[in-house]
Tab-separated table of all heavy atoms in Angstrom:
chain	number	residue	atom	x	y	z
A	8	MET	N	16.970	-13.959	-11.187
A	8	MET	CA	16.995	-12.666	-10.602
A	8	MET	C	15.545	-12.114	-10.401
A	8	MET	O	14.872	-12.049	-11.463
A	8	MET	CB	17.866	-11.741	-11.380
A	8	MET	CG	18.111	-10.406	-10.598
A	8	MET	SD	19.484	-9.583	-11.488
A	8	MET	CE	19.051	-7.904	-10.928
A	9	SER	N	15.187	-11.579	-9.289
A	9	SER	CA	13.860	-11.086	-9.101
A	9	SER	C	13.662	-9.817	-9.665
A	9	SER	O	14.633	-8.949	-9.707
A	9	SER	CB	13.435	-11.207	-7.646
A	9	SER	OG	14.262	-10.446	-6.802
A	10	GLU	N	12.445	-9.284	-9.785
A	10	GLU	CA	12.190	-7.961	-10.378
A	10	GLU	C	12.476	-6.871	-9.292
A	10	GLU	O	12.158	-7.212	-8.060
A	10	GLU	CB	10.708	-7.877	-10.687
A	10	GLU	CG	10.201	-8.758	-11.902
A	10	GLU	CD	10.775	-8.056	-13.162
A	10	GLU	OE1	10.792	-6.872	-13.370
A	10	GLU	OE2	11.261	-8.838	-14.100
A	11	PRO	N	12.935	-5.815	-9.625
A	11	PRO	CA	13.171	-4.701	-8.647
A	11	PRO	C	11.765	-4.211	-8.040
A	11	PRO	O	10.765	-4.385	-8.783
A	11	PRO	CB	13.876	-3.563	-9.411
A	11	PRO	CG	13.592	-3.833	-10.795
A	11	PRO	CD	13.323	-5.335	-10.922
A	12	ALA	N	11.719	-3.585	-6.992
A	12	ALA	CA	10.540	-3.193	-6.335
A	12	ALA	C	9.749	-2.150	-7.351
A	12	ALA	O	10.478	-1.310	-7.875
A	12	ALA	CB	10.798	-2.535	-5.011
A	13	LYS	N	8.603	-2.286	-7.341
A	13	LYS	CA	7.703	-1.292	-8.153
A	13	LYS	C	6.653	-0.792	-7.130
A	13	LYS	O	5.956	-1.465	-6.393
A	13	LYS	CB	7.122	-1.998	-9.299
A	13	LYS	CG	6.342	-0.954	-10.233
A	13	LYS	CD	5.919	-1.574	-11.499
A	13	LYS	CE	4.495	-2.283	-11.399
A	13	LYS	NZ	4.042	-2.880	-12.641
A	14	ILE	N	6.545	0.566	-7.146
A	14	ILE	CA	5.471	1.239	-6.203
A	14	ILE	C	4.585	2.091	-7.128
A	14	ILE	O	5.028	2.920	-7.806
A	14	ILE	CB	6.317	2.099	-5.166
A	14	ILE	CG1	7.346	1.304	-4.390
A	14	ILE	CG2	5.387	2.837	-4.248
A	14	ILE	CD1	8.194	2.108	-3.530
A	15	GLN	N	3.393	1.703	-6.935
A	15	GLN	CA	2.392	2.426	-7.737
A	15	GLN	C	1.292	2.901	-6.838
A	15	GLN	O	0.608	2.217	-6.112
A	15	GLN	CB	1.758	1.367	-8.783
A	15	GLN	CG	0.619	2.059	-9.745
A	15	GLN	CD	0.033	1.074	-10.558
A	15	GLN	OE1	0.175	-0.167	-10.407
A	15	GLN	NE2	-0.701	1.555	-11.488
A	16	ILE	N	1.049	4.247	-6.954
A	16	ILE	CA	-0.053	4.890	-6.298
A	16	ILE	C	-1.272	4.712	-7.073
A	16	ILE	O	-1.437	5.171	-8.248
A	16	ILE	CB	0.302	6.345	-6.032
A	16	ILE	CG1	1.568	6.348	-5.181
A	16	ILE	CG2	-0.839	7.074	-5.337
A	16	ILE	CD1	2.092	7.742	-4.950
A	17	ARG	N	-2.324	4.060	-6.429
A	17	ARG	CA	-3.690	3.929	-7.212
A	17	ARG	C	-4.575	5.244	-7.056
A	17	ARG	O	-4.531	5.789	-5.957
A	17	ARG	CB	-4.371	2.757	-6.653
A	17	ARG	CG	-3.622	1.424	-6.814
A	17	ARG	CD	-3.541	1.049	-8.276
A	17	ARG	NE	-4.888	0.853	-8.741
A	17	ARG	CZ	-5.233	1.155	-10.065
A	17	ARG	NH1	-4.349	1.591	-10.975
A	17	ARG	NH2	-6.445	0.987	-10.484
A	18	PRO	N	-5.229	5.580	-8.041
A	18	PRO	CA	-6.140	6.697	-7.961
A	18	PRO	C	-7.095	6.560	-6.769
A	18	PRO	O	-7.860	5.535	-6.815
A	18	PRO	CB	-6.807	6.754	-9.370
A	18	PRO	CG	-5.926	5.984	-10.272
A	18	PRO	CD	-5.326	4.869	-9.402
A	19	ASN	N	-7.167	7.497	-5.913
A	19	ASN	CA	-8.040	7.443	-4.767
A	19	ASN	C	-8.022	6.157	-3.979
A	19	ASN	O	-9.050	5.690	-3.533
A	19	ASN	CB	-9.507	7.804	-5.238
A	19	ASN	CG	-9.626	9.085	-5.891
A	19	ASN	OD1	-8.923	9.989	-5.647
A	19	ASN	ND2	-10.544	9.194	-6.854
A	20	GLY	N	-6.809	5.585	-4.023
A	20	GLY	CA	-6.739	4.200	-3.340
A	20	GLY	C	-5.300	4.042	-2.741
A	20	GLY	O	-4.681	4.939	-2.420
A	21	PRO	N	-4.956	2.775	-2.569
A	21	PRO	CA	-3.751	2.288	-1.848
A	21	PRO	C	-2.505	2.595	-2.614
A	21	PRO	O	-2.548	2.924	-3.860
A	21	PRO	CB	-3.962	0.885	-1.555
A	21	PRO	CG	-4.643	0.360	-2.755
A	21	PRO	CD	-5.710	1.571	-3.043
A	22	ILE	N	-1.369	2.250	-2.105
A	22	ILE	CA	-0.105	2.136	-2.693
A	22	ILE	C	0.257	0.723	-2.933
A	22	ILE	O	0.271	-0.015	-1.904
A	22	ILE	CB	1.044	2.862	-1.792
A	22	ILE	CG1	0.712	4.332	-1.630
A	22	ILE	CG2	2.447	2.712	-2.486
A	22	ILE	CD1	1.521	5.063	-0.565
A	23	LEU	N	0.390	0.279	-4.181
A	23	LEU	CA	0.748	-1.061	-4.397
A	23	LEU	C	2.282	-1.216	-4.542
A	23	LEU	O	2.946	-0.364	-5.085
A	23	LEU	CB	0.197	-1.481	-5.836
A	23	LEU	CG	-1.293	-1.438	-5.934
A	23	LEU	CD1	-1.702	-1.884	-7.343
A	23	LEU	CD2	-1.961	-2.249	-4.886
A	24	VAL	N	2.673	-2.195	-3.793
A	24	VAL	CA	4.212	-2.543	-3.843
A	24	VAL	C	4.379	-3.993	-4.292
A	24	VAL	O	3.715	-4.823	-3.686
A	24	VAL	CB	4.808	-2.338	-2.402
A	24	VAL	CG1	6.271	-2.562	-2.335
A	24	VAL	CG2	4.505	-1.005	-1.813
A	25	SER	N	5.303	-4.121	-5.270
A	25	SER	CA	5.528	-5.477	-5.833
A	25	SER	C	7.025	-5.618	-6.162
A	25	SER	O	7.683	-4.603	-6.221
A	25	SER	CB	4.617	-5.663	-7.030
A	25	SER	OG	4.884	-4.787	-8.056
A	26	GLY	N	7.272	-6.793	-6.509
A	26	GLY	CA	8.757	-7.070	-6.902
A	26	GLY	C	9.593	-7.470	-5.653
A	26	GLY	O	9.154	-7.985	-4.684
A	27	ASN	N	10.855	-7.206	-5.668
A	27	ASN	CA	11.767	-7.532	-4.595
A	27	ASN	C	11.701	-6.382	-3.537
A	27	ASN	O	12.454	-5.384	-3.642
A	27	ASN	CB	13.233	-7.701	-5.187
A	27	ASN	CG	14.113	-8.256	-4.178
A	27	ASN	OD1	13.759	-8.749	-3.122
A	27	ASN	ND2	15.376	-8.106	-4.426
A	28	PHE	N	10.908	-6.517	-2.580
A	28	PHE	CA	10.791	-5.456	-1.515
A	28	PHE	C	10.867	-6.101	-0.099
A	28	PHE	O	10.667	-7.281	-0.021
A	28	PHE	CB	9.534	-4.592	-1.621
A	28	PHE	CG	8.282	-5.491	-1.415
A	28	PHE	CD1	7.764	-5.667	-0.124
A	28	PHE	CD2	7.538	-6.221	-2.364
A	28	PHE	CE1	6.652	-6.363	0.171
A	28	PHE	CE2	6.465	-6.847	-2.113
A	28	PHE	CZ	6.063	-6.999	-0.815
A	29	VAL	N	11.174	-5.241	0.826
A	29	VAL	CA	11.122	-5.665	2.305
A	29	VAL	C	10.283	-4.668	2.997
A	29	VAL	O	10.696	-3.409	2.820
A	29	VAL	CB	12.554	-5.761	2.891
A	29	VAL	CG1	12.447	-6.108	4.392
A	29	VAL	CG2	13.358	-6.745	2.183
A	30	LEU	N	9.260	-5.059	3.669
A	30	LEU	CA	8.382	-4.135	4.396
A	30	LEU	C	9.029	-3.994	5.836
A	30	LEU	O	9.209	-5.064	6.462
A	30	LEU	CB	6.943	-4.631	4.434
A	30	LEU	CG	5.911	-3.777	5.293
A	30	LEU	CD1	5.864	-2.230	4.595
A	30	LEU	CD2	4.635	-4.412	5.334
A	31	LEU	N	9.270	-2.859	6.328
A	31	LEU	CA	9.875	-2.643	7.644
A	31	LEU	C	8.762	-1.927	8.511
A	31	LEU	O	8.072	-1.005	8.089
A	31	LEU	CB	11.061	-1.790	7.606
A	31	LEU	CG	12.227	-2.281	6.704
A	31	LEU	CD1	13.315	-1.226	6.628
A	31	LEU	CD2	12.683	-3.621	7.128
A	32	ASP	N	8.748	-2.346	9.792
A	32	ASP	CA	7.800	-1.719	10.742
A	32	ASP	C	8.369	-0.399	11.251
A	32	ASP	O	9.470	-0.033	10.771
A	32	ASP	CB	7.382	-2.673	11.914
A	32	ASP	CG	8.552	-3.028	12.785
A	32	ASP	OD1	9.654	-2.373	12.750
A	32	ASP	OD2	8.443	-3.954	13.580
A	33	ALA	N	7.717	0.251	12.226
A	33	ALA	CA	8.113	1.571	12.716
A	33	ALA	C	9.547	1.580	13.350
A	33	ALA	O	10.160	2.531	13.451
A	33	ALA	CB	7.121	2.130	13.642
A	34	ASN	N	9.907	0.266	13.825
A	34	ASN	CA	11.227	0.204	14.505
A	34	ASN	C	12.332	-0.276	13.506
A	34	ASN	O	13.390	-0.598	13.912
A	34	ASN	CB	11.141	-0.771	15.601
A	34	ASN	CG	10.218	-0.256	16.723
A	34	ASN	OD1	10.341	0.927	17.043
A	34	ASN	ND2	9.369	-1.081	17.283
A	35	GLY	N	11.975	-0.453	12.228
A	35	GLY	CA	12.945	-0.924	11.231
A	35	GLY	C	13.017	-2.387	11.148
A	35	GLY	O	13.945	-2.873	10.480
A	36	ASN	N	12.111	-3.058	11.796
A	36	ASN	CA	12.220	-4.480	11.735
A	36	ASN	C	11.392	-5.127	10.568
A	36	ASN	O	10.252	-4.602	10.326
A	36	ASN	CB	11.645	-5.227	12.963
A	36	ASN	CG	12.442	-4.755	14.266
A	36	ASN	OD1	13.665	-4.855	14.252
A	36	ASN	ND2	11.761	-4.123	15.296
A	37	PRO	N	11.882	-6.211	9.852
A	37	PRO	CA	11.133	-6.724	8.735
A	37	PRO	C	9.761	-7.272	9.216
A	37	PRO	O	9.584	-7.846	10.246
A	37	PRO	CB	12.058	-7.795	8.175
A	37	PRO	CG	13.389	-7.594	8.784
A	37	PRO	CD	13.131	-6.834	10.093
A	38	VAL	N	8.790	-7.086	8.334
A	38	VAL	CA	7.430	-7.524	8.602
A	38	VAL	C	7.145	-8.749	7.645
A	38	VAL	O	7.498	-8.721	6.524
A	38	VAL	CB	6.374	-6.413	8.273
A	38	VAL	CG1	4.961	-7.006	8.375
A	38	VAL	CG2	6.509	-5.221	9.175
A	39	ASP	N	6.704	-9.824	8.209
A	39	ASP	CA	6.344	-10.950	7.416
A	39	ASP	C	5.093	-10.660	6.615
A	39	ASP	O	3.993	-10.536	7.129
A	39	ASP	CB	6.094	-12.251	8.385
A	39	ASP	CG	5.844	-13.465	7.568
A	39	ASP	OD1	5.827	-13.452	6.359
A	39	ASP	OD2	5.484	-14.536	8.280
A	40	VAL	N	5.315	-10.679	5.239
A	40	VAL	CA	4.089	-10.418	4.417
A	40	VAL	C	3.539	-11.747	3.875
A	40	VAL	O	2.813	-11.699	2.845
A	40	VAL	CB	4.497	-9.470	3.263
A	40	VAL	CG1	4.935	-8.043	3.846
A	40	VAL	CG2	5.610	-10.025	2.403
A	41	GLY	N	3.878	-12.822	4.484
A	41	GLY	CA	3.320	-14.127	4.005
A	41	GLY	C	3.609	-14.493	2.682
A	41	GLY	O	2.906	-15.173	2.033
A	42	GLY	N	4.821	-14.195	2.195
A	42	GLY	CA	5.195	-14.647	0.856
A	42	GLY	C	4.543	-13.837	-0.273
A	42	GLY	O	4.708	-14.173	-1.431
A	43	LYS	N	3.745	-12.821	0.013
A	43	LYS	CA	3.030	-12.155	-0.968
A	43	LYS	C	4.042	-11.334	-1.891
A	43	LYS	O	4.916	-10.761	-1.422
A	43	LYS	CB	2.102	-11.062	-0.420
A	43	LYS	CG	1.018	-11.787	0.276
A	43	LYS	CD	-0.078	-10.719	0.837
A	43	LYS	CE	-1.125	-11.502	1.640
A	43	LYS	NZ	-1.837	-10.543	2.488
A	44	GLU	N	3.838	-11.334	-3.159
A	44	GLU	CA	4.678	-10.625	-4.168
A	44	GLU	C	4.214	-9.179	-4.281
A	44	GLU	O	4.907	-8.365	-4.851
A	44	GLU	CB	4.771	-11.449	-5.465
A	44	GLU	CG	5.364	-12.720	-5.261
A	44	GLU	CD	5.571	-13.492	-6.620
A	44	GLU	OE1	5.145	-13.011	-7.677
A	44	GLU	OE2	6.100	-14.682	-6.621
A	45	THR	N	2.923	-8.997	-3.930
A	45	THR	CA	2.399	-7.741	-4.099
A	45	THR	C	1.522	-7.331	-2.798
A	45	THR	O	0.785	-8.245	-2.418
A	45	THR	CB	1.401	-7.471	-5.352
A	45	THR	OG1	2.161	-7.842	-6.486
A	45	THR	CG2	0.777	-6.171	-5.342
A	46	ILE	N	1.735	-6.187	-2.210
A	46	ILE	CA	0.932	-5.727	-1.189
A	46	ILE	C	0.360	-4.400	-1.526
A	46	ILE	O	0.887	-3.731	-2.336
A	46	ILE	CB	1.696	-5.649	0.123
A	46	ILE	CG1	2.969	-4.642	-0.014
A	46	ILE	CG2	2.177	-7.113	0.593
A	46	ILE	CD1	3.613	-4.515	1.363
A	47	ALA	N	-0.815	-4.067	-0.847
A	47	ALA	CA	-1.476	-2.758	-0.982
A	47	ALA	C	-1.399	-2.049	0.313
A	47	ALA	O	-2.042	-2.535	1.349
A	47	ALA	CB	-2.850	-2.919	-1.502
A	48	LEU	N	-0.793	-1.030	0.429
A	48	LEU	CA	-0.522	-0.282	1.634
A	48	LEU	C	-1.686	0.920	1.717
A	48	LEU	O	-1.731	1.718	0.680
A	48	LEU	CB	0.793	0.371	1.786
A	48	LEU	CG	1.929	-0.603	1.759
A	48	LEU	CD1	3.301	0.155	1.833
A	48	LEU	CD2	1.839	-1.478	3.027
A	49	CYS	N	-2.339	0.970	2.837
A	49	CYS	CA	-3.406	2.062	2.953
A	49	CYS	C	-2.733	3.475	2.989
A	49	CYS	O	-1.800	3.646	3.528
A	49	CYS	CB	-4.189	1.827	4.262
A	49	CYS	SG	-5.371	3.123	4.687
A	50	ARG	N	-3.493	4.340	2.347
A	50	ARG	CA	-2.960	5.727	2.461
A	50	ARG	C	-4.188	6.641	2.787
A	50	ARG	O	-3.978	7.836	2.852
A	50	ARG	CB	-2.217	6.300	1.231
A	50	ARG	CG	-2.980	6.502	-0.028
A	50	ARG	CD	-2.133	6.858	-1.092
A	50	ARG	NE	-2.815	6.998	-2.301
A	50	ARG	CZ	-2.891	8.122	-3.082
A	50	ARG	NH1	-2.350	9.205	-2.761
A	50	ARG	NH2	-3.693	8.113	-4.224
A	51	CYS	N	-5.360	6.049	3.115
A	51	CYS	CA	-6.528	6.864	3.362
A	51	CYS	C	-6.647	7.007	4.891
A	51	CYS	O	-7.329	7.922	5.371
A	51	CYS	CB	-7.738	6.298	2.771
A	51	CYS	SG	-8.442	4.796	3.672
A	52	GLY	N	-6.081	6.024	5.724
A	52	GLY	CA	-6.107	6.111	7.145
A	52	GLY	C	-7.320	5.506	7.673
A	52	GLY	O	-7.587	5.472	8.927
A	53	HIS	N	-8.144	4.755	6.924
A	53	HIS	CA	-9.443	4.139	7.364
A	53	HIS	C	-9.399	2.675	7.439
A	53	HIS	O	-10.450	2.055	7.806
A	53	HIS	CB	-10.546	4.728	6.494
A	53	HIS	CG	-10.879	6.068	6.754
A	53	HIS	ND1	-11.888	6.487	7.665
A	53	HIS	CD2	-10.551	7.281	6.043
A	53	HIS	CE1	-11.967	7.862	7.713
A	53	HIS	NE2	-11.029	8.305	6.661
A	54	THR	N	-8.353	2.143	7.048
A	54	THR	CA	-8.322	0.628	7.162
A	54	THR	C	-8.378	0.024	8.525
A	54	THR	O	-7.911	0.618	9.424
A	54	THR	CB	-6.992	0.110	6.397
A	54	THR	OG1	-7.061	-1.375	6.352
A	54	THR	CG2	-5.715	0.478	7.161
A	55	LYS	N	-8.933	-1.172	8.513
A	55	LYS	CA	-8.919	-1.910	9.901
A	55	LYS	C	-7.877	-2.960	9.945
A	55	LYS	O	-7.794	-3.739	10.773
A	55	LYS	CB	-10.328	-2.418	10.068
A	55	LYS	CG	-11.379	-1.421	10.346
A	55	LYS	CD	-12.748	-2.046	10.367
A	55	LYS	CE	-13.883	-0.928	10.558
A	55	LYS	NZ	-13.852	0.064	9.495
A	56	THR	N	-7.071	-2.999	8.713
A	56	THR	CA	-6.022	-4.103	8.718
A	56	THR	C	-4.716	-3.345	8.458
A	56	THR	O	-3.849	-3.873	7.657
A	56	THR	CB	-6.310	-5.066	7.627
A	56	THR	OG1	-6.369	-4.350	6.382
A	56	THR	CG2	-7.587	-5.798	7.858
A	57	SER	N	-4.388	-2.263	9.141
A	57	SER	CA	-3.148	-1.505	8.922
A	57	SER	C	-1.979	-2.396	9.021
A	57	SER	O	-1.823	-3.239	9.903
A	57	SER	CB	-3.125	-0.437	10.024
A	57	SER	OG	-1.905	0.444	9.805
A	58	PRO	N	-0.969	-2.159	8.218
A	58	PRO	CA	-0.823	-1.093	7.258
A	58	PRO	C	-1.440	-1.374	5.870
A	58	PRO	O	-1.293	-0.649	4.956
A	58	PRO	CB	0.684	-0.927	7.122
A	58	PRO	CG	1.163	-2.406	7.148
A	58	PRO	CD	0.233	-3.005	8.180
A	59	TYR	N	-2.244	-2.435	5.777
A	59	TYR	CA	-2.705	-2.887	4.490
A	59	TYR	C	-4.099	-2.352	4.077
A	59	TYR	O	-4.905	-2.093	5.063
A	59	TYR	CB	-2.794	-4.425	4.443
A	59	TYR	CG	-1.491	-5.117	4.736
A	59	TYR	CD1	-1.404	-5.862	5.942
A	59	TYR	CD2	-0.436	-5.002	3.881
A	59	TYR	CE1	-0.219	-6.410	6.231
A	59	TYR	CE2	0.680	-5.710	4.174
A	59	TYR	CZ	0.903	-6.271	5.451
A	59	TYR	OH	2.068	-6.858	5.748
A	60	CYS	N	-4.306	-2.009	2.981
A	60	CYS	CA	-5.641	-1.656	2.451
A	60	CYS	C	-6.664	-2.678	2.594
A	60	CYS	O	-6.440	-3.869	2.258
A	60	CYS	CB	-5.533	-1.214	0.935
A	60	CYS	SG	-7.056	-0.793	0.140
A	61	ASP	N	-7.808	-2.320	3.065
A	61	ASP	CA	-8.933	-3.348	3.163
A	61	ASP	C	-10.158	-2.843	2.394
A	61	ASP	O	-11.240	-3.340	2.579
A	61	ASP	CB	-9.320	-3.594	4.652
A	61	ASP	CG	-9.958	-2.371	5.315
A	61	ASP	OD1	-10.059	-1.324	4.613
A	61	ASP	OD2	-10.403	-2.369	6.439
A	62	GLY	N	-9.999	-1.864	1.490
A	62	GLY	CA	-11.007	-1.376	0.662
A	62	GLY	C	-11.844	-0.360	1.266
A	62	GLY	O	-12.797	0.250	0.724
A	63	SER	N	-11.487	0.153	2.509
A	63	SER	CA	-12.232	1.185	3.257
A	63	SER	C	-12.247	2.486	2.454
A	63	SER	O	-13.202	3.362	2.621
A	63	SER	CB	-11.786	1.234	4.666
A	63	SER	OG	-12.107	0.155	5.400
A	64	HIS	N	-11.209	2.739	1.648
A	64	HIS	CA	-11.110	3.975	0.975
A	64	HIS	C	-12.324	4.246	0.080
A	64	HIS	O	-12.685	5.375	-0.169
A	64	HIS	CB	-9.831	4.026	0.132
A	64	HIS	CG	-9.669	2.973	-0.899
A	64	HIS	ND1	-9.109	1.776	-0.628
A	64	HIS	CD2	-10.099	2.955	-2.189
A	64	HIS	CE1	-9.168	0.970	-1.756
A	64	HIS	NE2	-9.765	1.711	-2.664
A	65	LYS	N	-12.992	3.190	-0.369
A	65	LYS	CA	-14.099	3.322	-1.178
A	65	LYS	C	-15.276	3.837	-0.429
A	65	LYS	O	-16.098	4.769	-0.878
A	65	LYS	CB	-14.426	2.052	-1.860
A	65	LYS	CG	-13.420	1.550	-2.805
A	65	LYS	CD	-13.764	0.035	-3.297
A	65	LYS	CE	-12.596	-0.556	-3.982
A	65	LYS	NZ	-12.720	-2.034	-4.164
A	66	GLN	N	-15.520	3.302	0.754
A	66	GLN	CA	-16.613	3.789	1.663
A	66	GLN	C	-16.383	5.162	2.140
A	66	GLN	O	-17.381	6.016	2.345
A	66	GLN	CB	-16.835	2.833	2.792
A	66	GLN	CG	-17.448	1.442	2.446
A	66	GLN	CD	-16.521	0.582	1.753
A	66	GLN	OE1	-15.401	0.411	2.060
A	66	GLN	NE2	-17.017	-0.145	0.683
A	67	CYS	N	-15.173	5.639	2.410
A	67	CYS	CA	-14.927	6.915	3.021
A	67	CYS	C	-14.804	7.975	1.940
A	67	CYS	O	-14.725	9.185	2.202
A	67	CYS	CB	-13.700	6.917	3.949
A	67	CYS	SG	-12.117	6.837	3.057
A	68	GLY	N	-14.784	7.634	0.680
A	68	GLY	CA	-14.624	8.568	-0.464
A	68	GLY	C	-13.401	9.259	-0.403
A	68	GLY	O	-13.307	10.476	-0.780
A	69	PHE	N	-12.394	8.550	-0.308
A	69	PHE	CA	-10.931	9.062	-0.231
A	69	PHE	C	-10.576	9.758	-1.550
A	69	PHE	O	-10.675	9.179	-2.626
A	69	PHE	CB	-10.014	7.926	0.076
A	69	PHE	CG	-8.489	8.357	0.054
A	69	PHE	CD1	-8.097	9.345	1.031
A	69	PHE	CD2	-7.591	7.727	-0.705
A	69	PHE	CE1	-6.752	9.650	1.077
A	69	PHE	CE2	-6.245	8.149	-0.634
A	69	PHE	CZ	-5.838	9.084	0.257
A	70	GLN	N	-10.238	11.057	-1.429
A	70	GLN	CA	-9.847	11.804	-2.588
A	70	GLN	C	-8.652	12.734	-2.145
A	70	GLN	O	-8.853	13.773	-1.603
A	70	GLN	CB	-10.956	12.664	-3.150
A	70	GLN	CG	-12.001	11.860	-3.700
A	70	GLN	CD	-13.097	12.731	-4.498
A	70	GLN	OE1	-13.336	13.861	-4.156
A	70	GLN	NE2	-13.796	12.118	-5.457
A	71	PRO	N	-7.395	12.223	-2.275
A	71	PRO	CA	-6.256	13.027	-1.853
A	71	PRO	C	-6.093	14.236	-2.739
A	71	PRO	O	-6.365	14.254	-3.962
A	71	PRO	CB	-5.153	12.013	-2.126
A	71	PRO	CG	-5.534	11.150	-3.267
A	71	PRO	CD	-7.084	10.950	-3.096
A	72	ASN	N	-5.462	15.213	-2.050
A	72	ASN	CA	-5.116	16.404	-2.741
A	72	ASN	C	-3.601	16.399	-3.033
A	72	ASN	O	-2.897	17.298	-2.548
A	72	ASN	CB	-5.461	17.672	-1.979
A	72	ASN	CG	-6.984	17.844	-1.909
A	72	ASN	OD1	-7.699	17.591	-2.840
A	72	ASN	ND2	-7.449	18.203	-0.781
A	73	ASP	N	-3.116	15.439	-3.732
A	73	ASP	CA	-1.647	15.388	-4.021
A	73	ASP	C	-1.492	15.006	-5.486
A	73	ASP	O	-2.460	14.738	-6.195
A	73	ASP	CB	-0.989	14.353	-3.083
A	73	ASP	CG	-1.512	12.957	-3.094
A	73	ASP	OD1	-1.825	12.451	-4.273
A	73	ASP	OD2	-1.583	12.329	-2.177
A	74	PHE	N	-0.268	14.961	-5.907
A	74	PHE	CA	0.146	14.763	-7.241
A	74	PHE	C	-0.310	13.415	-7.796
A	74	PHE	O	-0.512	13.099	-8.971
A	74	PHE	CB	1.702	14.874	-7.509
A	74	PHE	CG	2.357	13.792	-6.899
A	74	PHE	CD1	2.729	12.711	-7.693
A	74	PHE	CD2	2.819	13.809	-5.485
A	74	PHE	CE1	3.531	11.680	-7.133
A	74	PHE	CE2	3.503	12.864	-5.052
A	74	PHE	CZ	3.873	11.704	-5.774
A	75	ALA	N	-0.526	12.514	-6.804
A	75	ALA	CA	-0.757	11.121	-7.290
A	75	ALA	C	-2.221	10.657	-7.114
A	75	ALA	O	-2.491	9.500	-6.828
A	75	ALA	CB	0.142	10.104	-6.395
A	76	GLN	N	-3.122	11.617	-7.315
A	76	GLN	CA	-4.484	11.392	-7.062
A	76	GLN	C	-4.986	10.061	-7.920
A	76	GLN	O	-5.782	9.441	-7.668
A	76	GLN	CB	-5.423	12.516	-7.487
A	76	GLN	CG	-5.034	13.654	-6.578
A	76	GLN	CD	-5.855	14.907	-7.007
A	76	GLN	OE1	-6.903	14.735	-7.563
A	76	GLN	NE2	-5.328	16.010	-6.667
B	104	FES	S1	-6.337	3.041	0.896
B	104	FES	FE1	-7.597	1.327	0.880
B	104	FES	S2	-8.345	1.160	3.039
B	104	FES	FE2	-7.100	2.964	2.890
């Protein structure tokens, strides 16, 4: 039995998703994540590989004003 999904918000960075998850696009269709067990979703809005984090949050100095900083 696989691990349940775990979602972790990284300080000033992406949202890590791991475990047994399905990523859906804006139309609700499953997205092929290439068999990855962990993905990092951008939350700064500066990635060039949306929806995935490409590290751009470091260059833009992303500092969210939310509970999960
Ligand atoms: S959170 Fe990493 S590029 Fe946006």
Side-chain angles (χ1 to χ4, degrees):
M8 187 169 157
S9 60
E10 292 288 318
K13 184 170 90 174
I14 301 169
Q15 180 183 14
I16 299 174
R17 298 291 302 148
N19 301 329
I22 298 170
L23 300 181
V24 181
S25 61
N27 187 17
F28 67 87
V29 176
L30 179 63
L31 303 176
D32 68 15
N34 295 316
N36 300 310
V38 174
D39 182 3
V40 296
K43 293 179 183 164
E44 295 181 0
T45 300
I46 59 173
L48 298 175
C49 174
R50 69 181 177 124
C51 75
H53 290 270
T54 184
K55 293 174 181 60
T56 59
S57 181
Y59 306 109
C60 171
D61 68 357
S63 294
H64 60 272
K65 296 174 189 165
Q66 284 76 40
C67 73
F69 179 58
Q70 292 187 333
N72 292 322
D73 59 40
F74 70 95
Q76 298 177 23

